[in-house]
């Protein structure tokens, strides 16, 4: 604009500055990320996936390893007692005391013991001084004696010896994929119960989908190695990625270690109180439906149902959202990168600049709305697992396409414009004035203002002998060039004797034939000549002709 002002072209300077201000509006850039996040989180919610924030969604798109808790997550959590072995043969007494202690517990293993006692219609006594030891078991006073229910380590740490028969039973239960729960009371071991649950029916399909997305799967559990290996075998989890016998704190440490190895981005999926530290330690915590309040509070994503297929669905939504954000930013930056230099150089008028600016915002919103198509279809899974060279190609297209589209649109607009594709800076043309005498007194003054190259505005004014405007009732104007081409010019009235016509007159000499009828029914036939000279950027005439009357 300053350069145009120095050249003495203030009108073009104003146009260029206005176009720059319009195209530099950062609307598309401001909409690129929040609109995509809003649509992505909304689509996830429609699929039963609650995402806590946009930051969580961004982290979700980078996940390359998912760690699952076993009990209540990969399995149904609805455990039942498969077998009870009592040292003294009193299995009913063992279940009575175990159920009395576990009645105050929220753990699925304890619920199975309580249910077994209920099914056998046993009279469960009350318990006092209940205490839960994370990852180990529970204890309470029942009928005047301390009762311990949990892992063998809990009993051993209390100074109680475990009989050899109980060790044998524990080994057999582990081989069969069950969890062995030792019950001790009054300083001695009463026996052991085998508790186990079933794998969720959709778990295998969910893990298969995650492997298709290129995500590694692991499992952490506080259960013994036998039950953990049995579940891992059913789901096809690599034995090297199965860690068992972990306390809650050890689970969190393992999650942090797996995340730190090789710069991985790790997600942890769990449901219970014991999983809360692990969920908090992971890059992304996922709590499944029906989980404890502690797990939900520690997680960034909550599945409204217990269907594990919601985990890969959340990852697909996140990856698709991240891809759309990159595309939106590519378009927004690309639009400004191309449009601002065009506007600053005078090649983009304010009207075209406004249209381009509006189109950029609409394009960003429309691209974000594509996320509404994200679902559980295989097509979206293919789209979500783009990586490596394919992802780099997609990024390149996202940045190059805006430049090509905007350049094509601007070029088409300029070519289709009345100026015939000539840039704004070449449109500074000197107006010409001509005059013709009216027989009997008076004159016709014609003023040709070529506002743009190839598009001219013609002013015609009739004056009487005294210099006053002469009233004209009707007028007809025809322009004829040197080659004999005739061009009728429709006119519109601006006053009694003042008319204006718009004409597409190219460079060269034009003769105007004007036929008019005055208000007094007097017929006038007049001829004038105008030379149209289109000037280039250096103000050199591109066609011969004279400027002036």
């Amino acid at each position: 604009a300053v350069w145009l002002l120095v050249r003495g072209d203030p009108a073009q300077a104003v146009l260029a500055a206005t176009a720059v201000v319009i195209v530099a509006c950062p609307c598309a850039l401001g909409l690129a990320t929040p609109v995509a996040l809003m649509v992505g989180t909304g689509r996830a919610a429609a699929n039963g996936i609650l995402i806590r924030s946009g930051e969580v969604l961004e982290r979700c798109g980078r996940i390359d390893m998912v760690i699952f808790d076993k009990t209540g997550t990969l399995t149904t959590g609805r455990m039942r007692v498969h077998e009870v072995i009592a040292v003294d043969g009193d299995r009913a007494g063992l279940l009575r005391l175990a159920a009395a202690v576990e009645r105050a517990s929220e753990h699925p293993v304890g619920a199975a013991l309580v249910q077994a006692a209920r099914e056998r219609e046993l009279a469960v006594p009350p318990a006092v001084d209940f205490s839960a030891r994370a990852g180990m078991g529970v204890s309470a006073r029942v009928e005047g004696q301390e009762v311990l229910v949990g892992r063998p380590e809990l009993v051993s740490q209390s100074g109680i010896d475990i009989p050899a028969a109980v060790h044998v039973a524990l080994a057999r239960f582990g081989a069969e994929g069950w969890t062995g729960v030792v019950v001790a009371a009054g300083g001695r071991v009463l026996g052991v119960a085998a508790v186990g649950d079933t794998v969720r029916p959709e778990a295998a399909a969910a893990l298969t989908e995650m492997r298709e997305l290129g995500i590694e799967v692991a499992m952490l559990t506080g259960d013994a190695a036998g039950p953990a290996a049995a579940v891992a075998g059913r789901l096809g989890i690599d034995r090297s990625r199965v860690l068992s016998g972990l306390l809650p704190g050890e689970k969190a440490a393992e999650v942090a270690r797996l995340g730190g190895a090789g710069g991985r981005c790790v997600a942890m999926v769990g449901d219970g109180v014991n999983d809360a530290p692990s969920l908090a330690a992971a890059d992304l915590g996922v709590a499944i439906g029906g989980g404890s309040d502690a797990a939900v509070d520690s997680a960034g994503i909550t599945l409204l149902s217990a269907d594990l297929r919601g985990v890969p669905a959340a990852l697909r939504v996140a990856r698709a959202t991240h891809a759309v954000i990159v595309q939106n930013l590519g378009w927004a930056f690309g639009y400004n990168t191309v449009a601002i230099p065009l506007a600053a150089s005078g090649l983009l008028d304010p009207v075209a600049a406004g249209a381009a600016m509006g189109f950029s915002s609409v394009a960003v919103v429309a691209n974000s709305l594509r996320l509404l198509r994200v679902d559980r279809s295989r097509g979206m899974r293919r789209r979500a697992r783009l990586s490596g060279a394919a992802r780099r190609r997609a990024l390149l297209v996202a940045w190059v396409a805006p430049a090509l589209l905007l350049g094509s649109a601007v070029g088409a607009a300029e070519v289709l414009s009345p100026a015939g594709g000539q840039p704004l800076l070449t449109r500074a043309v000197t107006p010409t004035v001509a005059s013709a005498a009216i027989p009997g007194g008076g004159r016709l003054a014609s003023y040709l203002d070529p506002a743009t190259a190839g598009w001219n505005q013609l002013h015609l004014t009739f004056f009487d002998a005294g210099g006053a405007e002469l009233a004209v009732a009707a007028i007809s104007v025809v322009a004829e060039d040197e080659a004999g081409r005739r061009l009728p010019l429709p006119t519109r009235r601006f006053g009694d004797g003042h008319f204006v016509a718009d004409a597409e007159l190219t460079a060269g000499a034009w003769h105007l034939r004007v036929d008019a009828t005055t208000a007094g029914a007097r017929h006038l036939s007049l001829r004038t000549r105008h030379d149209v000279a289109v000037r280039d950027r250096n103000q050199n005439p591109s066609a011969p002709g004279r400027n002036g009357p």
Side-chain angles (χ1 to χ4, degrees):
V2 172
W3 176 68
L4 289 170
L5 285 173
V6 172
R7 287 182 53 226
D9 199 346
Q12 295 300 313
V14 172
L15 286 176
T18 303
V20 169
V21 171
I22 293 174
V23 298
C25 175
C27 297
L29 189 61
L31 293 172
T33 299
V35 172
L37 290 176
M38 180 180 64
V39 178
T41 54
R43 185 56 184 166
N47 286 333
I49 305 165
L50 298 184
I51 300 177
R52 192 178 291 262
S53 65
E55 180 186 0
V56 170
L57 189 66
E58 182 181 0
R59 278 186 276 136
C60 189
R62 303 195 306 267
I63 295 299
D64 52 16
M65 173 181 253
V66 177
I67 305 171
F68 287 89
D69 174 53
K70 182 181 80 69
T71 304
T73 303
L74 289 175
T75 61
T76 61
R78 293 187 293 272
M79 294 191 171
R80 64 185 184 89
V81 176
H82 295 274
E83 186 177 348
V84 177
I85 296 177
V87 175
D88 57 3
D90 186 8
R91 290 182 293 181
L94 182 151
L95 278 177
R96 284 180 63 254
L97 295 178
V101 178
E102 293 286 6
R103 190 159 52 182
S105 173
E106 296 180 354
H107 199 278
V109 171
L113 292 169
V114 174
Q115 181 63 26
R118 186 179 296 114
E119 290 173 355
R120 292 166 174 77
E121 298 182 352
L122 301 178
V124 179
V128 296
D129 299 333
F130 174 83
S131 175
R133 304 183 189 181
M136 298 290 288
V138 294
S139 64
R141 295 192 65 80
V142 181
E143 296 178 342
Q145 58 183 343
E146 184 180 21
V147 179
L148 303 176
V149 182
R151 295 172 58 175
E153 292 82 358
L154 174 66
V155 177
S156 300
Q157 291 175 7
S158 300
I160 301 175
D161 293 331
I162 300 177
V166 172
H167 281 295
V168 172
L170 288 171
R172 178 169 63 83
F173 293 161
E176 295 176 358
W178 296 339
T179 299
V181 181
V182 179
V183 181
R188 66 186 183 90
V189 173
L190 301 182
V192 62
V195 181
D197 62 353
T198 58
V199 175
R200 291 186 183 274
E202 78 284 354
L207 268 59
T208 299
E209 288 185 23
M210 279 184 283
R211 294 188 186 100
E212 290 179 354
L213 293 173
I215 297 173
E216 190 175 357
V217 177
M219 183 177 75
L220 301 181
T221 179
D223 288 348
V231 172
R234 295 189 191 104
L235 297 176
I237 301 176
D238 190 344
R239 292 293 181 90
S240 65
R241 290 303 186 189
V242 178
L243 298 177
S244 57
L246 299 177
L247 299 175
E250 294 172 335
K251 283 186 182 181
E254 286 296 331
V255 169
R257 182 185 66 80
L258 290 173
R264 291 182 177 275
C265 193
V266 174
M268 175 69 190
V269 184
D271 72 312
V273 175
N274 292 342
D275 299 324
S278 304
L279 295 175
D283 297 296
L284 174 67
V286 181
I288 67 171
S292 67
D293 292 341
V296 172
D297 290 341
S298 301
I301 293 179
T302 302
L303 306 182
L304 295 183
S305 70
D307 192 339
L308 290 178
R309 287 173 295 185
V311 178
L315 298 179
R316 285 197 299 274
V317 171
R319 289 189 176 186
T321 303
H322 183 266
V324 167
I325 290 174
V326 172
Q327 294 165 9
N328 287 349
L329 291 175
W331 167 258
F333 279 111
Y335 154 76
N336 283 290
T337 301
V338 174
I340 291 177
L342 287 175
S345 61
L347 299 179
L348 197 65
D349 59 55
V351 175
M357 188 273 290
F359 174 72
S360 68
S361 299
V362 172
V364 166
V365 175
N367 189 48
S368 300
L369 291 177
R370 292 192 308 113
L371 291 171
L372 295 176
R373 297 164 45 202
V374 177
D375 52 23
R376 301 179 186 273
S377 70
R378 193 167 185 82
M380 272 314 306
R381 289 206 295 272
R382 277 201 304 273
R383 190 177 298 113
R385 66 171 180 265
L386 285 177
S387 60
R391 187 171 295 180
R392 288 192 292 272
R393 285 195 299 270
L395 182 62
L396 179 63
V397 171
W399 281 81
V400 173
L404 296 178
L405 287 175
L406 186 60
S408 301
V410 171
E414 291 292 325
V415 170
L416 296 176
S417 69
Q422 301 188 44
L424 281 172
L425 291 183
T426 67
R427 298 176 185 173
V429 183
T430 304
T432 62
V433 179
S435 180
I438 298 177
R443 66 187 178 90
L444 168 65
S446 59
Y447 172 84
L448 181 63
D449 181 11
T452 61
W455 185 263
N456 320 96
Q457 192 172 75
L458 176 65
H459 291 257
L460 299 170
T461 308
F462 294 84
F463 296 96
D464 59 18
E469 193 170 299
L470 178 64
V472 174
I475 186 174
S476 172
V477 182
V478 176
E480 181 178 344
D481 63 7
E482 294 179 332
R485 182 166 64 98
R486 298 171 61 85
L487 183 65
L489 304 182
T491 60
R492 57 185 185 275
R493 183 185 296 273
F494 258 43
D496 289 340
H498 183 189
F499 298 86
V500 177
D502 293 324
E504 296 185 50
L505 304 180
T506 56
W510 287 85
H511 299 274
L512 301 180
R513 178 174 177 175
V514 181
D515 293 307
T517 303
T518 66
R522 180 184 175 190
H523 180 72
L524 303 177
S525 182
L526 307 171
R527 293 178 66 86
T528 63
R529 169 182 167 135
H530 287 272
D531 292 319
V532 179
V534 180
R535 298 177 182 274
D536 61 17
R537 196 180 301 271
N538 297 319
Q539 297 297 300
N540 297 318
S542 61
R546 69 178 189 274
N547 293 326

